Amino acid sequence: MIRVVLYQWLEDSLSSGKKVPEDLYHLKLESDKSSSDYISSDEETPKPKKRRSSSPDELPHTPSPKTPKAPSKDQVTALQSSTPYNPPNLNKDITQIFGKLINIYRALGDDRRSFSYYKAIPVIEKLPFKIQSAEQVKGLPGIRKSMQDHIQEIVTTGKLFKLDHFETDEKVKTISLFEEIWGVGPDTALKLFEKGHRTLDDLKNEDSLTHSQKLGLIYYEDIKQRIPRHKAQEMELLLQKAAKDVLPGVSTIMLNK
């Protein structure tokens, strides 16, 4: 025997996460449109009767399911992506300043301080709220007292005096400039500064530069230019083909620095 149920039964089953009883949703039909649809060939074929549509009063009453709250744009994006959901950075004013301090301390050869800011940034980036006071970050991993003071200064004034001082300091500015040369690291940049060099022109006659560093100095402006995305994609395809010719089956991925 074929039973017909209201579509509401399917909606309620999906909403509850399990199959709900069919009795309240059973739709009784007083006549059949065709005997071949409901009876076997051995039975007597009844004469077709005019189907009478059921009025709304005759249909069983079923409660309407609650309308779920619409997901936010970020939640929809997360569901569509195969990667874990990453909340937006609500404290960019802090993390951007800390990022600059990472590069400055690295240029000065102070790896300990550079690494401390490096560890703090992802902790702050993942906070689900906008920091209004340093009290909100007490006890968080990697956020010590001195860093809490920096955070309080940034949220209060919108800037950090230490960073302003560094950005006007001749030593920091010169070392940061030299580190932008291809092949020049913090130690070499510091040595060049200590030799009295202050500009790129000062380095043109510096004998201690290696061959690659001299090329980096010659092509300084070219190397600093950003490569258009379509050019980068063309290079990636070229490198992938070359890599597979050398080692079939190898996967090559171009990373952005």
Side-chain angles (χ1 to χ4, degrees):
M1 179 180 178
I2 296 177
R3 301 181 67 189
V4 180
V5 295
L6 295 171
Y7 181 74
Q8 188 68 42
W9 171 81
L10 178 60
E11 290 185 343
D12 291 353
S13 296
L14 293 175
S15 299
S16 62
K18 62 182 180 179
K19 180 181 177 182
V20 299
E22 303 172 5
D23 296 339
L24 295 177
Y25 304 85
H26 182 215
L27 181 61
K28 295 181 180 180
L29 302 177
E30 295 187 1
S31 60
D32 301 324
K33 63 178 181 178
S34 173
S35 60
S36 59
D37 292 338
Y38 304 103
I39 62 175
S40 66
S41 58
D42 295 333
E43 297 174 339
E44 182 181 355
T45 304
K47 295 180 180 180
K49 297 180 181 179
K50 184 178 180 181
R51 183 188 298 270
R52 184 174 68 87
S53 59
S54 301
S55 66
D57 295 336
E58 294 175 344
L59 298 178
H61 174 71
T62 57
S64 300
K66 294 182 179 179
T67 303
K69 185 178 179 181
S72 66
K73 182 179 179 181
D74 289 332
Q75 290 171 327
V76 171
T77 303
L79 291 173
Q80 293 174 341
S81 173
S82 59
T83 58
Y85 169 61
N86 293 318
N89 182 6
L90 302 178
N91 298 285
K92 283 186 178 180
D93 52 339
I94 298 173
T95 56
Q96 286 178 350
I97 290 177
F98 282 8
K100 292 179 180 179
L101 290 175
I102 290 174
N103 295 330
I104 289 172
Y105 280 120
R106 185 182 296 154
L108 294 174
D110 193 339
D111 294 334
R112 183 181 63 82
R113 282 193 174 91
S114 177
F115 188 60
S116 66
Y117 286 101
Y118 177 82
K119 290 191 301 181
I121 286 179
V123 175
I124 298 172
E125 283 179 335
K126 293 177 182 177
L127 292 177
F129 55 85
K130 175 75 174 173
I131 298 176
Q132 304 292 339
S133 168
E135 292 291 328
Q136 296 173 286
V137 297
K138 279 187 176 180
L140 292 180
I143 312 296
R144 297 185 177 180
K145 179 64 171 62
S146 60
M147 203 166 293
Q148 291 172 21
D149 293 340
H150 292 341
I151 291 174
Q152 185 62 53
E153 182 180 347
I154 294 170
V155 298
T156 303
T157 66
K159 59 183 181 179
L160 186 65
F161 174 77
K162 174 182 281 191
L163 177 62
D164 293 342
H165 169 72
F166 276 142
E167 290 183 333
T168 57
D169 183 79
E170 183 184 38
K171 181 178 181 180
V172 173
K173 289 171 63 178
T174 304
I175 292 177
S176 299
L177 172 65
F178 291 167
E179 275 197 345
E180 292 179 350
I181 301 171
W182 176 263
V184 175
D187 292 340
T188 301
L190 179 59
K191 290 177 182 178
L192 293 173
F193 174 81
E194 291 174 346
K195 284 186 174 183
H197 299 306
R198 296 295 181 268
T199 67
L200 297 179
D201 289 336
D202 294 345
L203 302 178
K204 289 182 178 179
N205 297 319
E206 175 57 47
D207 295 333
S208 66
L209 295 180
T210 65
H211 178 66
S212 62
Q213 290 169 347
K214 289 178 180 178
L215 290 176
L217 180 60
I218 294 172
Y219 298 105
Y220 175 80
E221 294 297 338
D222 292 332
I223 294 173
K224 282 194 66 177
Q225 291 182 4
R226 296 180 62 86
I227 301 175
R229 180 175 294 276
H230 71 277
K231 288 289 185 182
Q233 291 172 340
E234 291 175 3
M235 293 171 60
E236 182 178 23
L237 293 175
L238 182 64
L239 291 172
Q240 287 175 343
K241 183 180 182 303
K244 288 181 179 178
D245 289 342
V246 176
L247 185 61
V250 68
S251 296
T252 306
I253 301 174
M254 182 178 290
L255 301 178
N256 182 30
K257 183 179 183 297

